[in-house]
Amino acid sequence: MKTRTIFSTTIAALSIGILQTGCESKKKAEVQYQADSLKDDKVAYDTTYKTEEIPEPVLAPSERHFDTAVKYLDGKDYKKATREIGEGISAIQKEGVQDKGELRVEFAKSVGHLKLLQKLAGEGKLTSAELKKGFWPAELMVTHYTIEKWENLPEFDVKSNDHLRTALDGLERKTADTEASVKQEGKQLIAETRALLKTAEHGADADAQKARADLKQQTAKLKAYIKKNI
């Protein structure tokens, strides 16, 4: 009787052990299946563990120097701000030197005003807000020239259109801190121009031809907008 009891107990223990082993194996298999599934999803869609890189805006040399000067003024480092403003003035004179159009006189006046701001920075009497207000007119005039440069290019292609894209990006930044009505008008013109560019480059033949013709009128609107707000 005792032997039978021991045998029964042994069989029961073995059965429990087998069941536990089976359950553990099943759990391991499920975990492995889930891991494999996640791995397959990552390979198939490549959306996990990956961050989208946002490209840095392409800034003109003058804009980079003036932006740096703004930061130095915020930190009350007038010596470095004065140096950066000087570098910005030299750069913007080079960027606008080829503009022989109707904004040439206004551009020269704007550069003269920037030199006055540089003097004030050297005396510790310039704020970052005053510098921002002072350098945007000249930057807008350079944008005006960039648009004219695109208008005079002989061929319409993606590479030449980069000039116009750069101008639109710059105009968007340069009107970001303006009053609401000016900003809204600029945003609308920029959005319309980008849409026309996209259609001109990737649309069907008839749509592309129309968009190319419309772009000439659109850039005239952009230039008029810049002249009105400098």
Side-chain angles (χ1 to χ4, degrees):
M1 186 70 178
K2 186 177 179 181
T3 303
R4 182 181 298 175
T5 301
I6 293 171
F7 178 77
S8 299
T9 303
T10 303
I11 293 299
L14 286 170
S15 299
I16 292 170
I18 291 168
L19 286 171
Q20 288 177 338
T21 302
C23 290
E24 289 175 1
S25 298
K26 185 177 180 182
K27 286 180 181 177
K28 286 181 180 178
E30 289 175 352
V31 169
Q32 186 62 47
Y33 175 77
Q34 290 173 356
D36 291 342
S37 296
L38 286 173
K39 184 178 179 182
D40 291 341
D41 287 343
K42 186 182 176 186
V43 171
Y45 301 104
D46 199 22
T47 56
T48 343
Y49 314 115
K50 190 176 181 181
T51 54
E52 183 92 7
E53 290 189 5
I54 300 173
E56 290 291 324
V58 179
L59 302 180
S62 60
E63 198 174 343
R64 287 200 303 271
H65 286 299
F66 290 135
D67 282 351
T68 303
V70 165
K71 293 174 185 176
Y72 282 135
L73 286 174
D74 284 336
K76 307 297 182 185
D77 192 335
Y78 295 105
K79 184 176 180 180
K80 289 182 180 178
T82 302
R83 184 190 66 212
E84 289 295 333
I85 294 171
E87 294 288 342
I89 291 171
S90 297
I92 205 165
Q93 286 177 312
K94 291 177 183 177
E95 291 161 9
V97 72
Q98 298 181 63
D99 189 355
K100 306 299 182 184
E102 55 191 312
L103 296 180
R104 182 175 55 181
V105 175
E106 286 83 354
F107 182 75
K109 288 179 181 177
S110 185
V111 170
H113 181 60
L114 284 170
K115 290 178 179 178
L116 175 60
L117 294 181
Q118 183 187 22
K119 182 176 180 295
L120 290 173
E123 297 170 354
K125 298 177 181 178
L126 184 68
T127 67
S128 60
E130 289 169 338
L131 178 58
K132 282 183 181 180
K133 187 177 180 181
F135 74 75
W136 282 133
E139 291 287 354
L140 283 173
M141 290 181 220
V142 171
T143 299
H144 187 282
Y145 167 67
T146 305
I147 293 171
E148 286 187 330
K149 183 178 180 181
W150 175 84
E151 289 176 327
N152 293 322
L153 289 171
E155 293 183 5
F156 187 97
D157 58 30
V158 175
K159 186 175 180 180
S160 67
N161 290 342
D162 285 343
H163 291 287
L164 185 54
R165 288 190 184 87
T166 299
L168 293 174
D169 292 345
L171 188 59
E172 191 169 45
R173 289 191 305 277
K174 293 162 190 176
T175 56
D177 297 322
T178 56
E179 59 185 78
S181 59
V182 175
K183 182 178 179 180
Q184 184 57 40
E185 183 184 0
K187 283 179 67 175
Q188 183 176 342
L189 285 170
I190 291 165
E192 290 171 355
T193 310
R194 284 174 174 158
L196 284 171
L197 262 176
K198 184 176 180 180
T199 302
E201 292 176 345
H202 305 294
D205 288 344
D207 293 335
Q209 289 293 338
K210 185 178 186 306
R212 292 176 186 182
D214 290 344
L215 267 172
K216 295 295 183 181
Q217 297 176 355
Q218 189 69 15
T219 52
K221 292 180 184 177
L222 285 169
K223 290 191 296 181
Y225 169 78
I226 289 171
K227 287 168 62 178
K228 183 173 67 175
N229 291 291
I230 57 176

